[in-house]
Amino acid sequence: MTASGKTPIPQRKAQLERRLAELGARLEAIEDELESHQNPDWDDLAAEREGDEVLEATGEAGQAEIRKIHAALQRIEAGEYGECVRCGAEIPEERLDALPWTPLCRSCAK
């Protein structure tokens, strides 16, 4: 953080890129797990399929977060990161700390 209490943009970018790498690894592991189910036992296969639904939902959530991170990285490149895409107001640092990919200020997110 700088003296003004703001996290420097390069640090935010690195944070987003680290999260992107984590999500990529997680999605790859989910995909591997989903592809590994070849159980010939119907009962076991049914139980695995129930677990697959959870994995698929987790994967979908990860993909959505990846899209948000890519959009945030594009805003960084455009020099628009930290500005609300709806109203143009500055997004508070606390909000960016919690949701570094957020495109909206607190008011517009409601």
Side-chain angles (χ1 to χ4, degrees):
M1 244 187 234
T2 63
S4 67
K6 287 185 142 191
T7 302
I9 294 295
Q11 189 173 332
R12 287 280 185 206
K13 183 177 180 180
Q15 176 187 20
L16 289 165
E17 289 170 340
R18 278 191 306 274
R19 181 64 179 155
L20 201 55
E22 290 170 10
L23 288 167
R26 182 181 303 161
L27 290 178
E28 190 174 309
I30 288 171
E31 188 175 312
D32 289 347
E33 178 65 23
L34 289 171
E35 290 176 357
S36 72
H37 295 167
Q38 304 296 326
N39 199 325
D41 183 301
W42 285 98
D43 290 335
D44 290 344
L45 188 58
E48 288 175 353
R49 293 292 177 220
E50 287 179 18
D52 288 354
E53 291 176 13
V54 173
L55 287 173
E56 287 170 357
T58 302
E60 289 171 9
Q63 290 171 346
E65 188 175 341
I66 285 171
R67 286 189 295 275
K68 292 174 186 176
I69 291 171
H70 280 297
L73 291 169
Q74 288 175 341
R75 289 192 301 279
I76 287 173
E77 292 304 314
E80 299 169 352
Y81 181 79
E83 298 172 11
C84 179
V85 298
R86 190 169 293 155
C87 73
E90 185 175 339
I91 300 173
E93 193 69 13
E94 309 82 52
R95 183 163 173 77
L96 291 173
D97 287 342
L99 301 166
W101 55 83
T102 188
L104 302 171
C105 68
R106 194 172 284 124
S107 297
C108 289
K110 289 181 182 178

